């Protein structure tokens, strides 16, 4: 009897490490009220028939809702199950849900990573995580969904008579559902529901399955096989040679056979037509090994023992062992990116504190395997794990702690995220600050340093007794809390909503503060004019307001809307937590309407402070 309240995850397992990480995400899903979940993992090698495995699992299951997936998929959306239920409830004819798919299957069925609908964190490249964002509004009807994750609410046998391996099973199932009059859909996702660590491709088996698919279903799509068979044959031959070299590479021992490792990796990289994403972990290992040697670290500071009870010794580790530990480190960094608590990636912090994980190693792993680098770097720094390269610069000085002469450099990704969501002004950021420099002592960034620089200038010409600091960074909070500013500073910690900010401000007495420091707040509050008038009320006569707002060239008029989803906020305003983007003249006019008069700021060696987004106003 079918259980209408049961989700069953039918998971094909490629390795224990990937299965554990897949289960980590599954165990964090929110389960709808009165529903249950069940896990059914099945070992699945490259030559096993996925269709056969899925048919056996389907026949043995009493669950109405089945999620067929690879262990290389991590479900990031914790409300995934509820979202799927809502989709099925919207339309009784929907029988299949995927996160990416094809409205139009390519004419030659070359479907590898060639989706035309959906959103997915796709980690199948040597550097940087790709992001496909082509979904329309609402539900998108597709011919087929990608086989990495398929959700169904009804059963139909998988075509094990046709597909004996691990390719084209999902695309064929989509067409079979379509023949029954059941729809396959890909929902609009404000953020990618899933991340996929790209599947390795056996060119020979893939091409055999592709030809079988075309022969069986060519009437169901615009079939025209004009693919370059010569190029495909060339890829097959190179893949065979590269796989043989990879086996030798994995047995190479480091550091004893370092030169052999470099030479073998270089030989594989030179094989034309061989996909370089197969080598991404090996290339990362080579970069980390090089930088640690150049910085004078003993080899293995990154990977001499991931985990406190490591079974590997630095002197005897093979490349294969080291790459597996490196993959574990990447898993932890991806947990950082996906917003999990420190306890879920504490191993990364332990290894850094115990001297087994260098800044350079973290830096290259973030560059190679993380999409939202800025978010990860910020979270690592807040946990005391810098993850950056230390650079020498005699002109650098941190006014928060007094450190001089060197800084850590972080590779930001704000524009990368903005471009992925279609932000119109991604290449026209007005503020010319260097946001990627971090003080190695107190972890302050350039925005913190510039804030303190401005406050020191103001204090030289204006007596300050009481200040109000809104939602500061951890470094700025410590600086103000230790009374380094030389006057009393009330700190209003980060607030969850615009209403909570206004509630806190509403409880303050009028004429209470000589200065308000407001960095990146005005573009996030629901009612900026109400906020400005409240600032004016709590300021003393002739009180100052130090305001910083991100501005972009080409914005002809202020665009604002409260309560848009995060994807729309990035597309329109450049930031997921913003609800407006200002035209500069309009920003200044709004401040004037609230009773503020603009004052001038001195310049530092990098240019005028206004060019960095800092504005000083005086209460009129």
């Amino acid at each position: 009897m079918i259980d209408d309240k049961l989700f069953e995850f039918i998971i094909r397992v490629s390795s224990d490490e990937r299965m554990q990480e897949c289960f980590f995400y599954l165990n964090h899903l929110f389960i709808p009220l009165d529903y249950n979940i069940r896990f059914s993992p099945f070992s699945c090698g490259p030559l096993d028939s996925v269709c056969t495995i899925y048919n056996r699992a389907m026949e043995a299951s009493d669950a109405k809702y089945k999620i067929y997936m690879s262990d290389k998929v991590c479900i990031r959306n914790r409300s995934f199950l509820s979202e799927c239920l809502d989709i099925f409830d919207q339309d009784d004819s929907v029988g299949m849900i995927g996160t990416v798919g094809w409205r139009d299957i390519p004419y030659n069925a070359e479907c590898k990573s060639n989706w035309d609908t959906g959103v997915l964190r796709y980690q199948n490249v040597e550097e940087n995580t790709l992001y496909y964002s082509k979904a329309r509004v609402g539900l998108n009807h597709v011919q087929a969904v990608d086989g990495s994750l398929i959700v169904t609410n009804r059963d139909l046998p998988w075509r094990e008579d046709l597909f004996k391996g691990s390719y084209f099973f999902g695309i064929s199932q989509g067409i079979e559902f379509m023949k029954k009059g059941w729809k396959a859909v890909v929902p609009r996702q404000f953020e990618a529901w899933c991340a996929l660590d790209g599947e390795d491709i056996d060119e020979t088996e893939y091409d055999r399955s592709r030809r079988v698919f075309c022969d069986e279903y060519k009437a169901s799509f615009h079939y025209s096989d004009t693919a370059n068979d010569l190029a495909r044959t060339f890829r097959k031959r190179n893949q065979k040679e590269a796989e043989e070299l990879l086996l030798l590479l994995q047995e190479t021992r480091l550091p004893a056979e370092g030169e052999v490792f470099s030479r073998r990796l270089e030989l594989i990289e030179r094989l034309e037509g061989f996909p370089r994403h197969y080598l991404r972990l090996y290339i990362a290992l080579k970069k980390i090994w090089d930088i640690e040697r150049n910085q004078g670290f003993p080899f293995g500071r990154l990977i001499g023992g991931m985990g406190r009870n490591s079974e590997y010794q630095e002197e005897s580790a093979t490349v294969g062992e080291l790459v597996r530990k490196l993959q574990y480190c990447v898993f932890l960094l991806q947990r950082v990116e996906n917003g999990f608590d420190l306890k879920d990636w504490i191993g990364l912090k332990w290894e850094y504190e115990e001297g087994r994980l260098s800044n350079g190693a973290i830096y290259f792993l973030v560059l190679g395997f993380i999409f939202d680098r800025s978010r990860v770097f910020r979270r690592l720094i807040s946990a005391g794990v810098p993850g950056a390269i230390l650079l020498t610069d005699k002109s650098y000085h941190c006014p928060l702690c007094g450190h001089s002469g060197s800084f850590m450099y972080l590779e930001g990704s704000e524009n990368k995220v903005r471009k992925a969501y279609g932000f119109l002004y991604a290449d026209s950021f007005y503020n010319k600050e260097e946001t990627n420099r971090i003080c190695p002592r107190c972890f302050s960034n350039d925005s913190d340093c510039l804030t303190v620089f401005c406050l020191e200038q103001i204090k030289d010409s204006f007596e300050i007794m009481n200040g109000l600091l809104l939602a500061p960074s951890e470094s700025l909070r410590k600086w103000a809390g230790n009374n380094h500013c030389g006057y009393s500073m009330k700190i209003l910690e980060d607030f969850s909503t615009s209403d909570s900010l206004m509630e806190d401000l509403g409880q303050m007495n009028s004429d209470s503060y000589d200065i308000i420091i407001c960095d990146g707040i005005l573009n996030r509050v629901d009612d900026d004019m109400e906020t400005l008038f409240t600032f004016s009320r709590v300021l003393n006569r002739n009180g100052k307001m130090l305001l910083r707002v991100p501005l972009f060239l080409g914005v002809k008029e202020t665009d604002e809307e409260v309560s848009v989803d995060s994807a729309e906020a990035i597309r329109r305003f450049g930031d997921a937590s913003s609800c407006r983007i200002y035209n500069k003249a309009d920003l200044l006019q709004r401040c004037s309407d609230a009773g503020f008069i603009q004052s001038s700021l001195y310049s530092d060696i990098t240019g005028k402070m206004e060019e960095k987004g800092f504005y000083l106003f005086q209460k009129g």
Side-chain angles (χ1 to χ4, degrees), residues 41-263:
F42 294 89
S43 177
C44 185
L47 300 180
D48 292 331
S49 169
V50 173
C51 287
T52 300
I53 292 172
Y54 280 176
N55 275 335
R56 302 300 172 267
M58 182 186 72
E59 292 165 0
S61 174
D62 61 343
K64 176 178 180 180
Y65 303 101
K66 299 179 180 66
I67 297 98
Y68 302 92
M69 62 182 294
S70 164
D71 65 350
K72 296 182 180 181
V73 172
C74 294
I75 300 178
R76 305 172 64 245
N77 178 7
R78 297 189 187 184
S79 301
F80 173 77
L81 298 176
S82 296
E83 302 259 21
C84 289
L85 286 177
D86 290 343
I87 291 170
F88 286 131
D89 289 343
Q90 287 179 38
D91 188 342
D92 291 338
S93 65
V94 172
M96 176 184 292
I97 300 170
T99 56
V100 286
W102 300 266
R103 290 192 296 270
D104 298 297
I105 295 174
Y107 65 90
N108 57 6
E110 283 281 5
C111 296
K112 291 180 296 186
S113 314
N114 194 26
W115 313 292
D116 64 12
T117 305
V119 182
L120 182 67
R121 292 283 177 87
Y122 187 54
Q123 296 147 354
N124 205 16
V125 288
E126 173 199 347
E127 292 184 356
N128 303 329
T129 303
L130 297 182
Y131 192 92
Y132 293 87
S133 182
K134 301 177 182 179
R136 300 171 181 171
V137 176
L139 294 181
N140 302 276
H141 295 169
V142 293
Q143 283 188 293
V145 300
D146 186 74
S148 57
L149 183 140
I150 297 175
V151 186
T152 67
N153 64 352
R154 59 202 75 185
D155 293 337
L156 187 67
W158 298 76
R159 294 296 302 272
E160 63 180 287
D161 58 318
L162 295 176
F163 302 102
K164 308 300 182 183
S166 54
Y167 306 106
F168 285 90
F169 61 89
I171 305 173
S172 81
Q173 192 73 347
I175 293 181
E176 293 295 336
F177 266 56
M178 186 172 62
K179 288 179 177 180
K180 291 283 188 180
W182 305 333
K183 297 175 183 176
V185 299
V186 170
R188 184 188 183 196
Q189 300 153 64
F190 301 138
E191 292 187 10
W193 286 8
C194 298
L196 171 63
D197 192 358
E199 309 267 1
D200 294 336
I201 302 294
D202 181 320
E203 292 287 351
T204 300
E205 176 57 31
Y206 177 87
D207 192 45
R208 189 200 70 79
S209 299
R210 186 189 69 84
R211 292 180 182 278
V212 170
F213 176 84
C214 289
D215 289 343
E216 179 70 17
Y217 298 108
K218 56 188 174 184
S220 300
F221 67 104
H222 302 294
Y223 171 70
S224 175
D225 193 358
T226 59
N228 190 332
D229 288 335
L230 180 62
R232 191 177 290 116
T233 301
F234 187 60
R235 290 202 306 268
K236 293 176 191 175
R237 184 174 68 246
N238 280 349
Q239 179 170 346
K240 188 176 188 304
E241 183 179 351
E243 287 172 350
E244 293 172 354
L245 286 171
L246 271 177
L247 291 175
L248 294 174
L249 186 68
Q250 290 169 357
E251 297 304 316
T252 307
R253 293 188 174 275
L254 291 176
E257 298 179 291
E259 295 304 319
V260 176
F261 166 61
S262 298
R263 189 164 56 251

Side-chain angles (χ1 to χ4, degrees), residues 249-250 252-256 261 281-282 284-286 288-289 299-306 310 312-330 365:
L249 186 68
Q250 290 169 357
T252 307
R253 293 188 174 275
L254 291 176
F261 166 61
L281 287 169
Y282 298 92
L285 174 60
K286 176 67 166 56
I288 291 166
W289 181 39
F299 174 68
R301 181 164 179 179
L302 164 69
I303 43 185
M306 283 304 303
S310 174
Y312 305 120
Q313 298 297 320
E314 297 176 21
E315 294 80 4
S316 62
T318 67
V319 168
E321 293 167 345
L322 296 175
V323 163
R324 284 197 295 274
K325 285 188 274 186
L326 206 149
Q327 176 68 80
Y328 168 69
C329 194
V330 171
L365 290 177

